[in-house]
């Protein structure tokens, strides 16, 4: 009788331990579902898609668990898929103004054909410089080649950061706003080529990268893993391309913006003709909300 009594608590303890282990396994699985957004909506704002065993692309660099000391903002490990970031921590009062500088084959042909247009909105740059506003520019390689003087101007300003927006603004997935699609085998070289073009101008270089149309999938992320970069989408999409009035752009930004936000705008005048008119109203609205523009690296906590 005494023996049976002593075994009951032991069995109960074993059952409790097994139950706790089962619960931990459910709450903290060893492997996330493919494409899962890890940490979305968290304080950090980063969405990580971890590579499983065997996901490292062929021809990738020797994997490093962490970026080397003194690495550029946005530099990441090369043995896993790059992190995808929407925004910075939701504390403080910093927000990032980011401007995409698009250029496609069609746009370049138009310029070479003598069309009286421009894809470099100098009014935006003038205002940012005049008011001392920090900003981060995501440059396509073709845009850099088309506007070397403007690129040097951006690089010479310590309040500006330079980032990567592909070479020719091709889509990295199917059905991306009608953009022509890049071949999967050319993805890595396309982005690496643009880093090389941009880095030649010096200034505040980064390893931040933005996909055209914010369109990406696991295949695209895998292709870019060897480059050790951070993908930056953005949580405030202004809708400025092809806008016919500045008011909707301002409303889109100010209705969505929060501390840590990454605001997506464009510096391509012909395709985003109202952005320079919207910008002073955006800056005034941010100030009214107690929000202060800062470099992307600072907003993401890397600067």
């Amino acid at each position: 009788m005494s023996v049976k009594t002593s075994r009951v608590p032991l069995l109960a303890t074993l059952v409790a331990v097994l139950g706790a282990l089962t619960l931990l396994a459910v709450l903290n699985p060893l492997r996330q579902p493919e494409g899962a957004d890890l940490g979305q909506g968290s304080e950090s704002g980063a969405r990580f898609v971890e590579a499983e065993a065997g996901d490292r692309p062929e021809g990738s660099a020797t994997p490093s668990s962490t970026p080397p000391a003194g690495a550029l903002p946005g530099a990441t490990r090369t043995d896993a898929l790059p992190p995808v970031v929407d925004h910075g921590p939701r504390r403080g009062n910093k927000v990032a103004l980011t401007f995409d500088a698009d250029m496609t084959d069609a746009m370049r042909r138009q310029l070479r054909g003598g069309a009286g247009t421009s894809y470099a909105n100098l009014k935006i740059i003038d205002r940012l410089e005049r008011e001392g506003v920090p900003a981060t520019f995501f440059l396509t390689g073709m845009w850099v080649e088309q506007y070397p003087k403007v690129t040097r101007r951006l690089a010479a300003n310590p309040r500006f950061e330079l980032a990567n927006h592909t070479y020719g603004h091709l889509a990295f997935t199917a059905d991306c706003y009608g953009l022509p699609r890049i071949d999967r085998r050319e993805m890595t070289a396309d982005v690496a080529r643009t880093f090389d073009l941009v880095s030649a101008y010096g200034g505040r270089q980064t390893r931040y990268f933005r996909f055209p149309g914010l369109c990406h999938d696991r295949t695209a992320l895998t292709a870019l893993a060897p480059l050790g970069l951070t993908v930056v989408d953005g949580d405030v999409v202004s809708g400025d391309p092809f806008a016919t009035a500045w008011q909707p752009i301002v409303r889109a930004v100010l209705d969505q913006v929060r501390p840590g936000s990454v605001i997506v705008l464009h510096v391509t005048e012909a395709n985003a003709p109202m952005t320079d008119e919207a910008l002073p109203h955006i800056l005034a609205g941010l100030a009214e909300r107690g929000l202060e523009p800062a470099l992307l690296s600072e907003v993401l906590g890397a600067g």
Side-chain angles (χ1 to χ4, degrees), residues 170-182 187 211-221:
L170 295 174
F172 279 59
T173 66
D175 302 321
C176 184
Y177 302 100
L179 292 172
R181 189 174 183 182
I182 190 172
M187 291 179 178
F211 285 99
L214 308 184
C215 303
H216 49 80
D217 56 17
R218 194 177 187 85
T219 298
L221 293 174

Side-chain angles (χ1 to χ4, degrees), residues 52-209:
E52 298 178 4
D55 274 351
R56 186 158 52 88
E58 293 183 5
S60 63
T62 303
S64 57
S65 58
T66 58
L72 296 174
T76 61
R77 54 192 290 176
T78 59
D79 61 340
L81 302 191
V84 179
V85 179
D86 287 325
H87 58 80
R90 296 301 194 188
R91 58 178 180 267
N93 69 335
K94 306 293 187 183
V95 297
L97 290 174
T98 69
F99 293 88
D100 292 356
D102 303 348
M103 181 65 67
T104 65
D105 276 327
M107 294 162 67
R108 188 162 61 176
R109 284 196 300 270
Q110 186 182 33
L111 291 172
R112 290 177 175 176
T117 188
S118 171
Y119 294 104
N121 195 330
L122 300 184
K123 294 178 183 178
I124 291 175
I125 302 171
D126 288 344
R127 180 171 293 276
L128 295 173
E129 289 181 337
R130 185 167 61 249
E131 300 187 15
V133 179
T136 301
F137 291 84
F138 284 83
L139 309 179
T140 56
M142 280 188 186
W143 192 93
V144 170
E145 292 174 338
Q146 185 68 40
Y147 298 107
K149 291 182 179 179
V150 182
T151 305
R152 279 194 290 272
R153 178 178 174 182
L154 297 177
N157 191 325
R159 293 181 180 271
F160 295 160
E161 280 181 331
L162 306 182
N164 189 323
H165 195 37
T166 74
Y167 177 74
H169 208 260
L170 295 174
F172 279 59
T173 66
D175 302 321
C176 184
Y177 302 100
L179 292 172
R181 189 174 183 182
I182 190 172
D183 188 280
R184 177 182 60 82
R185 295 166 295 183
E186 299 174 2
M187 291 179 178
T188 311
D190 178 280
V191 177
R193 177 184 184 183
T194 304
F195 274 126
D196 290 341
L197 282 169
V198 175
S199 66
Y201 287 82
R204 298 183 71 109
Q205 297 286 325
T206 73
R207 297 298 285 185
Y208 294 128
F209 171 80

Side-chain angles (χ1 to χ4, degrees), residues 38-48 83-91 259-262 299-301:
L38 306 182
Q40 186 172 14
S42 68
E43 182 75 4
S44 68
R47 297 185 287 116
F48 295 97
V84 179
V85 179
D86 287 325
H87 58 80
R90 296 301 194 188
R91 58 178 180 267
S261 282
V262 175
V299 171
L300 298 183

Side-chain angles (χ1 to χ4, degrees), residues 14-37:
L14 290 173
V15 170
V17 170
L18 289 173
L21 291 174
T22 302
L23 180 61
L24 284 173
V26 172
L27 294 176
N28 186 28
L30 294 178
R31 180 176 296 178
Q32 293 287 339
E34 182 171 335
D37 288 342

